[in-house]
Structure formats: C-alpha cells, structure tokens
C-alpha cells in the first residue's frame, strides 16, 4: 500500500469546457450580418428605381388626362357652335318662309285697302279682311308710308315728281301704294309721289324776316328826314 500524504489530494486533470459551435464575434456569425447589409444596400436602389417608375407612370397619366381634357373642351366648343349655327339657320329659314308667304298676300292687302278707301269694306267681307290683317300683323308684317314724311330712297320708291312752294325738302305728298316690312327688313318699298322745293326758292327764317323789316323801316325814316324833335 502506498501512503497518502495528509493535506494533499490527488488532482486529476479536468476535461476542457466544450465551446459552442458559434461564438459571438466569430467569423461564422459575421458572415450572415454582412450578407444582410449587402441585401439592404441592394434593396435601396431597387426602391429608388420603383419610385422613379411610378413617377414616370403618373406623369404619363397626367399628360394623357390633359390631352383628353383639351379634346373634350374642343368637342364641346364645336358642339356649341353647331347648335348656334343650326338655330341661326332655323330662324333664317323661318323668316324666309314668312316673307315668301306674306309677299304673296300683299296684292290681297292692297285690294282690301282700296275697298276701304271706296267704302266697299262692309258686311262679311269686312270681317274677313280685318281677320286677315290681324293674322299678318301677328306674323310681324308692318305697313308704312304716310303723306308728309321725308322721302327716303331706302324705303320709298318715287313714281311721280313735282315742285311745291310749301316744302323745304323732298317730301312724300301722295302714297300711291303702301310699303310693308318685317322688323328692319323691307318686303316692298312704299311707292309715292314726291315734291321738291321750287328751284331758286330760299327759306327765310322768322328772325331774318324781322331784321329785314326793321332795316326797311329805318331806311324810310331816314328818307323822310328822321323823327321830329319835340
């Protein structure tokens, strides 16, 4: 038997502690972190490219919208012009139709006027004539031409001409046939006899006549020796 020395125990060697497969800070753990950083850096340009693509698409959509808006405005303006043109043509066609109809009735209206002047517009004929005149008046027909009004070559047609001492300008002295118009449009000019002032005749104003009379009286006083002194 071996003797054991007191106070001393036999120390047996202990096995070293087992280390884990991946210790923090080891190359095995650093590699995934580097890969994640690289993926993040690679994702940033992709997001930038995606945003740029969306911006370009938005610009294209806005450009297309502006073009369609301009086209719509042009079409709307053309439609409004078309409507106005159609309405104007419709009114013009209506006016032409009314003028043609009333032009055919003018001889009848002339006969009614002559019958009225001769006192022959009586009985049922008078009622029919007045109804016809009312209808044509509602359609806008207006009769014009009166004795004594100044002659206007745009609405009067002179068939007779004479001179008169009591007129100061060319005047309608006789209405041979009345004129008719619709609004400002003349259907038939009034046919009239006109009179002009006498050739060489001068119209003297009342003030001038009184001045000439006073001058004549003063001349007579001078020839008689003037007024007698008291």
């Amino acid at each position: 038997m071996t003797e054991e020395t007191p106070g001393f125990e036999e120390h047996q060697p202990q096995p070293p502690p087992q280390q884990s497969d991946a210790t923090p800070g080891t190359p095995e753990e650093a590699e995934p972190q580097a890969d994640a950083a690289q993926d993040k850096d690679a994702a940033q340009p992709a997001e930038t490219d995606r945003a740029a693509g969306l911006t370009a698409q938005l610009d294209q959509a806005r450009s297309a919208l502006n073009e369609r808006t301009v086209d719509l405005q042009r079409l709307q303006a053309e439609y409004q012009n078309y409507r106005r043109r159609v309405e104007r043509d419709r009114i013009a066609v209506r006016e032409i139709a009314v003028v043609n109809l009333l032009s055919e009735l003018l001889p009848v209206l002339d006969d009614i006027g002559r019958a009225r002047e001769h006192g022959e517009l009586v009985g049922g004929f008078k009622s029919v004539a007045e109804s016809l005149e009312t209808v044509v008046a509602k359609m806008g027909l207006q009769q014009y031409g009166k004795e004594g009004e100044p002659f206007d070559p745009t609405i009067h047609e002179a068939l007779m001409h004479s001179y008169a001492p009591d007129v100061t300008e060319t005047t309608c002295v006789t209405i041979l046939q009345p004129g008719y118009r619709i609004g400002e449009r003349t259907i038939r000019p009034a046919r009239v006899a006109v009179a002009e002032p006498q050739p060489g005749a001068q119209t003297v104003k009342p003030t001038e006549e009184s001045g000439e009379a006073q001058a004549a009286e003063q001349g007579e006083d001078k020839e008689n020796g003037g007024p007698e002194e008291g």
Side-chain angles (χ1 to χ4, degrees):
M1 292 181 66
T2 59
E3 295 181 358
E4 297 180 0
T5 304
F8 290 94
E9 295 180 355
E10 186 176 357
H11 294 280
Q12 296 179 358
Q14 298 292 331
Q18 296 180 358
Q19 295 181 355
S20 61
D21 296 338
T23 305
T26 60
E28 291 80 359
E29 185 176 346
E31 290 179 359
Q33 293 179 356
D35 294 340
Q38 291 178 359
D39 293 342
K40 185 177 180 180
D41 293 339
Q44 289 180 354
E47 291 292 335
T48 304
D49 295 340
R50 183 168 177 270
L54 293 176
T55 303
Q57 292 179 1
L58 180 60
D59 293 339
Q60 291 179 358
R62 288 176 177 174
S63 178
L65 177 61
N66 292 333
E67 292 178 358
R68 299 301 178 270
T69 303
V70 172
D71 293 341
L72 180 60
Q73 292 175 349
R74 183 175 63 253
L75 290 175
Q76 186 176 7
E78 291 177 356
Y79 177 67
Q80 293 296 335
N81 293 333
Y82 169 76
R83 288 187 59 185
R84 285 193 292 266
R85 185 168 61 253
V86 170
E87 182 66 17
R88 184 173 60 250
D89 294 343
R90 186 182 66 82
I91 294 174
V93 170
R94 179 182 178 276
E95 290 180 352
I96 294 173
V98 171
V99 168
N100 292 337
L101 174 61
L102 295 179
S103 298
E104 297 296 330
L105 293 176
L106 293 185
V108 180
L109 297 176
D110 293 337
D111 293 338
I112 293 174
R114 284 190 289 267
R116 182 178 287 110
E117 292 176 357
H118 292 84
E120 299 176 354
L121 198 61
V122 295
F125 179 56
K126 179 180 179 181
S127 177
V128 173
E130 291 177 351
S131 299
L132 178 60
E133 291 175 341
T134 302
V135 170
V136 296
K138 289 182 179 180
M139 297 178 69
L141 184 66
Q142 299 176 354
Q143 179 179 326
Y144 71 92
K146 295 182 179 179
E147 295 181 0
E149 64 184 9
F151 175 75
D152 186 353
T154 60
I155 60 175
H156 296 129
E157 181 181 354
L159 301 181
M160 299 177 63
H161 176 269
S162 63
Y163 296 96
D166 56 344
V167 297
T168 59
E169 59 180 347
T170 306
T171 306
C172 301
V173 293
T174 305
I175 304 301
L176 304 177
Q177 194 175 52
Y180 290 95
R181 62 189 170 197
I182 297 178
E184 299 298 328
R185 182 173 182 175
T186 300
I187 297 180
R188 187 184 71 184
R191 295 170 181 174
V192 299
V194 299
E196 293 182 353
Q198 290 287 352
Q202 297 180 355
T203 304
V204 180
K205 297 181 180 180
T207 55
E208 296 178 353
E209 292 179 353
S210 60
E212 292 177 357
Q214 292 178 359
E217 291 178 358
Q218 291 178 359
E220 291 177 357
D221 292 341
K222 289 180 181 180
E223 291 178 357
N224 295 332
E228 296 180 358
E229 297 180 357

